[in-house]
Amino acid sequence: MSARLSKLLRGAAVAVVALALLAALVAWLNVRGEAPLNATAGESAPADPEAIVRGAYLARAGNCMCCHTARGGEPYAGGRPLETPFGTVVAPNLTPDRDTGLGAWTAGEFWRALHNGRSRDGRLLYPAFPYPNYTLVTREDSDALFAYLQTLAPVARRNDAHALRFPYKLQASLAVWRALYFRPARFEPDPAKTAQWNRGSYLVQGLGHCVACHAPRNWMGATESAQALGGGLIPMQNWYAPPLAPGHGEAGAAPWSVDEIAQLLGTGFTLRGAAMGPMAEVVYGSTQHLSDADLRAMAVYLQSLPAAPDAEAPAERAGAQTLKLGGKLYGDHCAACHGDAGQGAPGAYPALAGNRAATMASPNNLVKALLHGGFPPATQGNPRPYGMPPFKQLLSERDIAAVATYVRQSWGNQGSTVSELDVLRAR
């Protein structure tokens, strides 16, 4: 055997050993803190009526029905597709049908799905199911949620296959992602904080999974913990979920009162702004059903988030011609509701003057509202919300850009200029 061949074989052996060690590390990282598959056999969901009632409430807090109900389908029977940059993930059936739903599951297996992100058959679950947040849910709450789901009417609906691109559809690829970005955790109350603050933290970080939208994601789709609730563009939807922490010069919760934050979460509307787009769906399906105490707890927690430094440079003013066109269009189409001075109308239309939701670094939400209309959710506290008609059939990209710029740069607002390209991107 030549010296060169011997060297190549030694190199190949070292590479094989290194790959084997790496695979073993990835495998270990995917099972740490996890009970063996047979450790939950024979468990049954609690039948306590109080637990079932609490589970129904927790299902609302997690907005479970929203994702697990196809348009026109049976509640919780799955089938709703979720578009991601990596392909389409389809939500499964959560009804207690034994063949196609959760009927054959145990409470322990359901807990493992929430806490460890692993299905009953051992498959790794995709984080479109937000187990990186649900891992914080307590076992008691998991059991209550499972008990409630077991009381639903069984629906025989087989789960649709995901349509993910290569290599994202591989369990091995998912295992690597989990090794890098997921670790099972438990919610640890902060003894230096009040019970109200800790309750809000538990809801926001856990079942509420607010970080799923209100945080930037890296190229592998993972949220960066250091930038939690720092705002981000929602993939595939082009709605911008603003930072909730103060100091970004955007729509953080700190300048709002606890009452105002709780009102927005509970009704979808305040004079400072209205929930639209994906947030309207959250309010409609989830937060409007929470107790006043929980809404206020979430508000207290959001107000306490650590501030981040403002990094945005002062915006340059648009040209006089753009502002003149925007002002005319605003007067023709917007002033009747939002007021000549952008003051809004209490109980009906939010103010635009001083509205940071209209002056965020990303103009997407304002542009999308102008293009497609703005429709706050119908809630118990605001059953007949005033909507805003779409203007995409009436106004050109130039017009939309001009009126958006006018709103962002009038009445003391300091937003940046909106271009026609911004409008095209938001479409």
Side-chain angles (χ1 to χ4, degrees):
M1 180 183 298
S2 68
R4 180 172 180 175
L5 179 58
S6 178
K7 186 176 180 180
L8 287 173
L9 290 174
R10 285 197 303 271
V14 169
V16 168
V17 171
L19 287 173
L21 291 174
L22 182 60
L25 176 61
V26 169
W28 176 79
L29 290 173
N30 274 274
V31 298
R32 56 184 166 177
E34 187 174 327
L37 282 174
N38 62 354
T40 58
E43 290 190 24
S44 58
D48 179 6
E50 291 186 3
I52 294 172
V53 171
R54 190 172 79 255
Y57 181 84
L58 294 169
R60 290 290 197 183
N63 204 17
C64 305
M65 188 167 67
C66 173
C67 285
H68 289 273
T69 304
R71 180 171 294 183
E74 294 294 326
Y76 292 100
R80 178 170 178 173
L82 176 64
E83 302 294 335
T84 79
F86 314 103
T88 302
V89 177
V90 186
N93 185 348
L94 297 186
T95 73
D97 181 73
R98 289 193 63 83
D99 295 325
T100 64
L102 301 182
W105 287 51
T106 67
E109 290 163 342
F110 183 78
W111 155 253
R112 189 177 66 168
L114 264 64
H115 189 65
N116 298 97
R118 190 183 293 274
S119 187
R120 181 173 184 253
D121 61 4
R123 288 180 301 107
L124 303 177
L125 298 174
Y126 288 98
F129 171 62
Y131 59 83
N133 303 101
Y134 291 169
T135 188
L136 297 175
V137 174
T138 66
R139 176 62 192 265
E140 182 182 26
D141 279 352
S142 172
D143 286 351
L145 180 56
F146 181 71
Y148 165 68
L149 293 174
Q150 293 293 91
T151 69
L152 300 174
V155 178
R157 187 192 183 285
R158 297 204 172 275
N159 295 320
D160 299 317
H162 304 314
L164 294 165
R165 298 189 302 277
F166 181 87
Y168 311 114
K169 63 183 179 181
L170 301 178
Q171 285 277 291
S173 301
L174 180 55
V176 172
W177 186 94
R178 287 164 51 99
L180 292 171
Y181 300 114
F182 172 66
R183 182 171 187 171
R186 296 180 186 274
F187 179 75
E188 299 292 343
D190 186 339
K193 301 292 187 179
T194 65
Q196 184 184 46
W197 184 95
N198 278 298
R199 176 62 175 173
S201 175
Y202 176 70
L203 289 170
V204 168
Q205 294 187 60
L207 278 173
H209 60 284
C210 304
V211 73
C213 290
H214 290 274
R217 294 180 180 270
N218 63 21
W219 67 279
M220 292 187 72
T223 57
E224 301 292 344
S225 60
Q227 297 175 305
L229 300 177
L233 196 65
I234 301 176
M236 315 304 291
Q237 297 188 43
N238 273 348
W239 282 92
Y240 179 67
L244 298 181
H248 292 269
E250 295 199 351
W256 288 40
S257 69
V258 169
D259 288 339
E260 287 173 320
I261 299 171
Q263 181 185 356
L264 182 66
L265 292 173
T267 70
F269 179 87
T270 71
L271 188 57
R272 286 178 180 258
M276 293 188 295
M279 189 61 199
E281 192 171 47
V282 170
V283 173
Y284 178 77
S286 176
T287 55
Q288 71 155 321
H289 302 284
L290 301 186
S291 68
D292 290 340
D294 277 348
L295 292 177
R296 294 181 68 84
M298 293 171 71
V300 166
Y301 172 73
L302 291 173
Q303 277 197 326
S304 75
L305 293 172
D310 287 327
E312 293 294 325
E316 293 186 10
R317 295 279 296 177
Q321 186 175 2
T322 296
L323 291 175
K324 181 179 179 181
L325 173 61
K328 181 182 184 306
L329 292 167
Y330 180 87
D332 291 343
H333 302 290
C334 312
C337 295
H338 292 285
D340 292 332
Q343 73 273 19
Y349 306 107
L352 298 178
N355 187 331
R356 291 181 306 152
T359 60
M360 294 185 293
S362 170
N364 279 37
N365 293 359
L366 177 60
V367 171
K368 287 179 80 69
L370 287 166
L371 287 170
H372 306 296
F375 304 99
T379 59
Q380 301 169 70
N382 188 28
R384 290 190 171 184
Y386 290 84
M388 172 179 157
F391 291 99
K392 64 179 180 180
Q393 304 297 336
L394 182 64
L395 302 180
S396 67
E397 280 83 3
R398 176 171 173 264
D399 292 340
I400 295 288
V403 72
T405 298
Y406 177 80
V407 167
R408 288 165 64 84
Q409 297 187 2
S410 297
W411 321 299
N413 290 348
Q414 300 294 320
S416 60
T417 299
V418 180
S419 68
E420 293 181 50
L421 181 58
D422 291 327
V423 177
L424 289 170
R425 286 171 175 164
R427 281 186 181 272

